Amino acid sequence: MRSSSLITVTPLLPVALVVLVVLATLVAWLGRLGHGRAVVTACLRAAAQLGAVSAVIAWVVTLSAAVAGFILLMYGVAAFTAGRRITPGRAGWWAGVPIAAGTVPVLGVLAAGRVITTAGIVIIPVAGILLGGCLTATTLAGRRAMDELVQRRGEVEAALSLGFGPREAALEICRPAAAQALVPALDQTRTVGLVTLPGAFVGMLLGGASPVQAGIVQLVVLVALLAAEAVATVVTIEVVARGGFGS
């Protein structure tokens, strides 16, 4: 079967996917990255989850309650995933704070400005893009901040001895490293059109939109992502500095 989309669906597609999974697993194993098994499980989960979403999405987007529930489910998974990456235990649920802080205001601005509609077919993918970006920013900022506080504990204690409060001392040590979590979003925005042609742009072109329309959509997505991730990064650093993750 042929497809007019970016990917051509042929009988060899499953074979190509299996080869790529095996290649990634072997590289991770041979390079002693410690993620060989995680590569396989991540790919299997992606296949299962995308299959499930494909089966229900047409129904979900027609009902407001289902749309809200689906977005809440995405948010819960994002918060759980980021929290688990940052710290074990119940303290990990603090990751839901920066993810919500980054996603909700940006969605509100886009909806209030009528840049996007609240129709399920629009709001779900936009919310998913923002949640995914905030998940990445929160995870990177949280892990880097926590690592800095552990490795430079002596400097934190020195700052406390100089009269800094616990929050201020933690911020002085962890903020510079944690702020690097925003670099991927900055690089993606800076290099769009020169290094990569992101999914929204390509998808719009394949859907029949003009290059100008596709460019506008992609610009909105990138700027919205950058704003959401900036908020998520700042809030994550604040949560860490206040001991929310058990720092």
Side-chain angles (χ1 to χ4, degrees), residues 190-210:
R190 287 173 179 147
T191 61
V192 65
L194 299 176
V195 177
T196 61
L197 293 177
F201 182 85
V202 175
M204 290 289 291
L205 288 179
L206 292 173
S210 70

Side-chain angles (χ1 to χ4, degrees), residues 140-162:
L140 291 176
R143 293 188 67 167
R144 289 176 179 177
M146 294 290 285
D147 288 346
E148 284 292 291
L149 292 180
V150 170
Q151 295 173 9
R152 300 171 63 186
R153 189 65 190 174
E155 294 176 54
V156 175
E157 293 174 354
L160 291 172
S161 69
L162 292 174

Side-chain angles (χ1 to χ4, degrees), residues 119-148:
I121 196 65
V122 175
I123 198 73
I124 287 178
V126 173
I129 290 170
L130 295 176
L131 287 168
C134 289
L135 160 63
T136 301
T138 298
T139 300
L140 291 176
R143 293 188 67 167
R144 289 176 179 177
M146 294 290 285
D147 288 346
E148 284 292 291

Side-chain angles (χ1 to χ4, degrees), residues 53-81:
V53 169
S54 299
V56 304
I57 194 68
W59 170 76
V60 169
V61 297
T62 62
L63 300 172
S64 298
V67 170
F70 196 81
I71 292 175
L72 287 175
L73 174 63
M74 291 193 295
Y75 166 69
V77 173
F80 174 76
T81 302

